[in-house]
Amino acid sequence: MPNIDQLKALKQYLDEKNAQLIAVSKTKTVKDIREVYDAGQRVFGENRVQEMVEKQGELPNDIEWHLIGHLQTNKVKYMASFVALVHSVDSLKLLEEVNKQAIKHGRVIDCLLQMHIAEESSKFGLNEAELKELLESEAFRLMSNVRIVGLMGMATFTDDEEQLRSEFKHLKGIFDRTKSAYFANRRYFKDISMGMSGDYELAVAEGSTMVRVGSLIFGSR
Ligand SMILES: *Cc1c(COP(=O)(O)O)cnc(C)c1O
């Protein structure tokens, strides 16, 4: 059951900090999402393409759907007609496929590049050298239908505040360097997607502009 009071308190907190709420609805029912929608939330995040596509078909059209989980190239086509933001682009190959599908649908798809900031080796994402290589590639320069609007990162699963803080600072540092080197006068390059239910306050304090919060709103999964 969604906690609407929690949602409202979180929304107010984030509004004051100029950060956006992505309500992470993975594994939750259409009924639960509808309840959160009725309380005013319009931006939802899913980590599986198939699940997002099914829910999108059953819920109102003014929902902004964000894909936040690891994305396989062969799944891009299923969501290309409607996805509002892809948080998890972690290779040139994947970005090329998003561009190709965006062209097919006559739209520009906004993307974040996912950076590896966690200590664990299991998490997906680029390092700073790979990011640079992607942004400087001829292939990227030729892409007409994707727009890179910022960076995303997932911190280590820990309650060590100092570690979380340093991982968030690391992502903010990469963002600032990338902004000045490649997107200096591009106003659309502005988002840092970091922070979840357990660490969103720290993330916001370190410069997050988008938090991806699931269990705090929808209850545990
Ligand atoms: C599930 C998920 C979240 C939300 O996690 P909570 O701890 O439930 O807030 C955020 N980001 C990604 C990429 C996720 O897969």
Side-chain angles (χ1 to χ4, degrees), residues 24 26 47 68-69 152 154 195-198 212-216 221:
V24 176
K26 64 187 186 200
N47 69 335
I68 62 170
M152 180 270 222
M154 285 184 77
M196 321 199 319
S197 290
R212 308 177 308 268
V213 175
S215 45
L216 197 62
R221 287 181 295 272

Side-chain angles (χ1 to χ4, degrees), residues 6-212:
Q6 184 66 256
L7 170 77
K8 289 187 171 159
L10 180 58
K11 193 85 179 89
Q12 188 181 347
Y13 172 84
L14 293 171
D15 281 351
E16 284 164 11
K17 309 276 183 187
N18 285 312
Q20 205 190 350
L21 173 63
I22 317 304
V24 176
S25 48
K26 64 187 186 200
T27 79
K28 299 298 173 180
T29 62
V30 163
K31 183 171 168 286
D32 283 351
I33 299 172
R34 170 65 83 160
E35 209 178 304
V36 171
Y37 174 91
D38 287 341
Q41 179 65 20
R42 290 294 178 271
V43 186
F44 292 88
E46 289 283 337
N47 69 335
R48 293 218 174 94
V49 173
Q50 191 56 41
E51 188 176 336
M52 183 170 77
V53 169
E54 283 167 15
K55 290 171 175 174
Q56 190 263 348
E58 293 183 46
L59 284 154
N61 274 329
D62 62 343
I63 290 181
E64 238 188 66
W65 292 97
H66 291 199
L67 196 281
I68 62 170
H70 181 64
L71 177 58
Q72 289 171 297
T73 311
N74 62 354
K75 301 282 170 62
V76 175
K77 57 178 176 288
Y78 302 116
M79 61 173 193
S81 65
F82 70 88
V83 68
L85 180 64
V86 183
H87 288 234
S88 44
V89 174
D90 61 356
S91 73
L92 182 63
K93 181 171 147 262
L94 180 57
L95 194 60
E96 283 181 307
E97 178 64 14
V98 176
N99 185 60
K100 182 177 142 194
Q101 295 299 331
I103 291 170
K104 274 194 185 162
H105 289 88
R107 54 188 300 249
V108 172
I109 297 182
D110 284 348
C111 298
L112 302 173
L113 294 172
Q114 182 172 357
M115 303 303 298
H116 177 99
I117 56 167
E119 180 180 76
E120 302 121 4
S121 55
S122 63
K123 298 267 169 80
F124 297 102
L126 303 162
N127 63 37
E128 199 167 356
E130 291 164 337
L131 172 69
K132 196 165 180 296
E133 191 184 322
L134 187 158
L135 293 173
E136 291 179 2
S137 69
E138 176 73 358
F140 174 64
R141 206 176 53 77
L142 294 173
M143 289 180 201
S144 52
N145 290 53
V146 287
R147 189 170 72 157
I148 305 299
V149 299
L151 304 178
M152 180 270 222
M154 285 184 77
T156 301
F157 188 71
T158 176
D159 45 23
D160 179 342
E161 282 202 9
E162 276 321 300
Q163 179 164 0
L164 289 167
R165 203 180 276 282
S166 102
E167 292 177 2
F168 292 144
K169 272 192 206 302
H170 179 52
L171 184 57
K172 175 68 161 75
I174 299 172
F175 175 88
D176 289 343
R177 289 189 288 280
T178 304
K179 174 89 186 161
S180 59
Y182 302 101
F183 297 96
N185 39 37
R186 302 278 196 265
R187 286 174 64 187
Y188 59 77
F189 187 88
K190 61 176 176 44
D191 284 314
I192 307 178
S193 167
M194 60 183 186
M196 321 199 319
S197 290
D199 56 20
Y200 71 88
E201 285 175 292
L202 276 173
V204 166
E206 298 304 331
S208 173
T209 69
M210 273 184 179
V211 299
R212 308 177 308 268

